[in-house]
Amino acid sequence: MTTPIYRNYYRQRTANQWRKIPAEQGDPSAIRPFLAGNWKMNLIPRAGVALAARIFDLCHNIRDVDMGFAPPFTGLSTLADYIEPDFLQREYGIGRNVFLLAQDTFFESKGAFTGEISADMLAAIGVDRVIIGHSDRRANLGKYFGFSSSVARRLSKSFLTQSHLRLSQRENPDIKILSAIAHLLEESNNDVLEGLEKFLEHELNERAGESDEAIQRKVHAALANGLQVIFCCGENREARRAHETFELLERQIRIGLDGVARPTMHEIIIAYEPIWAIGEGAKPAPPEQIAEVHDFIRNLLMDLYGEQVAARVRILYGGNVKPDNICEIMQLAGVDGALVGGASLNASDFSKIIRFGLPN
Ligand code: PEP
């Protein structure tokens, strides 16, 4: 027997299991899947509008699911103008189910933060939702910004010798720091220093990025400015192999959403994106693993916010979602949509993903 695909549904928990209960198509109080395209650092504004137009063309009259587009910051304003609901309704028979997404935001509202964009700036140009904690930012910043080589340099003998001299000349030098540096500089510690340098270089290269605490501040800044949050979480390959997936996800969610009050949870969408399943060349997570993690996250939300909230919070899956696997993924009782990278840059592929379960 094949599992049915529902485009609109309610969710119930019976015998400790979450289930989708079909709803009338377009029922305003039912759960609407959300298919969100993360364009990452691709497309100039004009090209973004052209892509969106092709997708709308292929999704005429689709009003029963939410669709979202996350262009780079430079493409937001142009796309905001284009996706004006009356225009979309007239041209394509769609409208209020199209959402403009930003790929990130900063937690401070203004000031000397060169290159950052605040949540109120995003809200002011018509952004509806913001992706927070994407793994590109949680885990890859170290690689790109070179924290690791900069820390490694600080562990060289010459840097430590100069630092020791500089610090000891201060009026009230921190004795603990001075003695730690002096200790590292002892001849017998050469190997320790070299090992430490290698260890930190590797750690930072692999792991440096946004912390759970910074992500929590971004969540609150977004909510305070009326933006909904697409909160990303997910484990890397190492954590999965070490059977630490659930522990890590629990930490990401507990810290990242700490302080979000129960009534505000309807502004939160969670995206489970296992890092090992993301991007070109990777394979999507197997459906059993997606189902297991989505149930885990939903049960955690039930502990934190109660069953009613847990049943309704949309949990998306992300990681190589394509036209040929979206139906299987959407059949899972815990999945409410997808966060799509590569395939969202192709109009034909992304429209097929939006149209999951419908005849071609
Ligand atoms: C992503 O980067 O969020 C993503 C899911 O990418 P892809 O669909 O290309 O794996």
Side-chain angles (χ1 to χ4, degrees):
M1 202 183 74
T2 53
T3 321
I5 301 179
Y6 305 128
R7 286 181 62 87
N8 295 128
Y9 49 85
Y10 291 91
R11 182 177 282 104
Q12 248 180 27
R13 189 161 185 275
T14 39
N16 280 340
Q17 287 220 315
W18 295 102
R19 286 173 217 285
K20 284 177 177 167
I21 313 293
E24 290 287 318
Q25 200 133 329
D27 173 348
S29 52
I31 297 173
R32 303 157 61 81
F34 180 36
L35 292 313
N38 177 7
W39 294 351
K40 307 197 178 188
M41 199 176 72
N42 291 292
L43 306 179
I44 58 169
R46 195 159 23 96
V49 168
L51 172 64
R54 285 200 298 280
I55 293 168
F56 297 144
D57 227 357
L58 296 166
C59 290
H60 252 269
N61 293 328
I62 299 283
R63 287 185 293 266
D64 56 348
V65 297
D66 287 352
M67 41 184 124
F69 301 93
F73 286 133
T74 50
L76 286 168
S77 283
T78 317
L79 197 59
D81 292 343
Y82 184 69
I83 60 172
E84 196 272 310
D86 289 340
F87 165 76
L88 292 184
Q89 171 64 39
R90 227 175 25 249
E91 286 295 304
Y92 303 104
I94 48 182
R96 303 209 177 270
N97 52 329
V98 174
F99 295 86
L100 183 64
L101 321 177
Q103 296 179 16
D104 185 33
T105 187
F106 194 57
F107 39 77
E108 297 290 352
S109 59
K110 62 179 171 146
F113 304 104
T114 306
E116 297 293 346
I117 304 283
S118 69
D120 63 331
M121 289 171 177
L122 296 176
I125 57 164
V127 169
D128 303 295
R129 299 176 177 167
V130 55
I131 298 172
I132 294 179
H134 190 280
S135 60
D136 286 347
R137 307 197 56 83
R138 275 187 190 267
N140 285 338
L141 296 183
K143 279 189 196 75
Y144 301 131
F145 293 130
F147 303 140
S148 54
S149 43
S150 137
V151 169
R153 187 165 45 81
R154 284 171 167 73
L155 289 170
S156 66
K157 282 234 154 195
S158 60
F159 189 94
L160 288 172
T161 311
Q162 275 170 29
S163 304
H164 192 271
L165 183 67
R166 192 166 33 82
L167 288 175
S168 57
Q169 286 166 348
R170 285 199 183 155
E171 216 169 280
N172 286 312
D174 187 319
I175 302 300
K176 273 202 177 139
I177 298 180
L178 276 181
S179 72
I181 297 178
H183 183 67
L184 281 174
L185 282 169
E186 279 166 23
E187 212 51 37
S188 58
N189 275 334
N190 278 356
D191 285 353
V192 174
L193 204 55
E194 226 175 88
L196 203 55
E197 182 183 326
K198 277 196 182 139
F199 173 69
L200 285 179
E201 185 160 15
H202 176 264
E203 278 298 293
L204 289 175
N205 203 35
E206 292 303 309
R207 274 179 262 283
E210 289 183 1
S211 66
D212 292 316
E213 288 74 11
I215 286 166
Q216 180 200 103
R217 292 183 69 187
K218 291 183 173 196
V219 167
H220 286 286
L223 294 173
N225 284 283
L227 298 176
Q228 294 190 326
V229 170
I230 302 166
F231 175 88
C232 298
C233 55
E235 80 284 5
N236 58 16
R237 198 177 293 282
E238 251 177 309
R240 175 146 293 267
R241 285 201 181 124
H243 305 287
E244 286 167 0
T245 299
F246 297 128
E247 197 183 311
L248 189 128
L249 285 166
E250 180 160 351
R251 194 196 69 215
Q252 291 176 343
I253 292 171
R254 276 187 188 271
I255 301 179
L257 296 185
D258 190 34
V260 178
R262 194 166 181 273
T264 314
M265 277 304 287
H266 66 272
E267 309 288 357
I268 304 279
I269 295 165
I270 292 181
Y272 166 58
E273 297 209 305
I275 300 176
W276 48 272
I278 291 178
E280 233 175 287
K283 285 199 171 70
E288 316 77 65
Q289 281 178 13
I290 301 176
E292 185 184 36
V293 171
H294 279 235
D295 281 352
F296 171 81
I297 294 174
R298 212 172 282 289
N299 291 336
L300 175 62
L301 294 177
M302 186 166 71
D303 289 347
L304 296 172
Y305 296 101
E307 187 169 330
Q308 240 183 337
V309 169
R312 284 206 70 93
V313 169
R314 284 182 287 187
I315 307 180
L316 319 181
Y317 164 74
N320 270 285
V321 173
K322 307 282 181 212
D324 63 3
N325 60 18
I326 183 68
C327 284
E328 193 179 14
I329 291 168
M330 287 307 300
Q331 279 169 331
L332 302 171
V335 177
D336 301 306
L339 183 54
V340 185
S344 72
L345 293 166
N346 178 302
S348 162
D349 285 353
F350 196 50
S351 58
K352 284 181 187 146
I353 290 172
I354 293 169
R355 297 173 57 89
F356 73 90
L358 295 177
N360 285 325

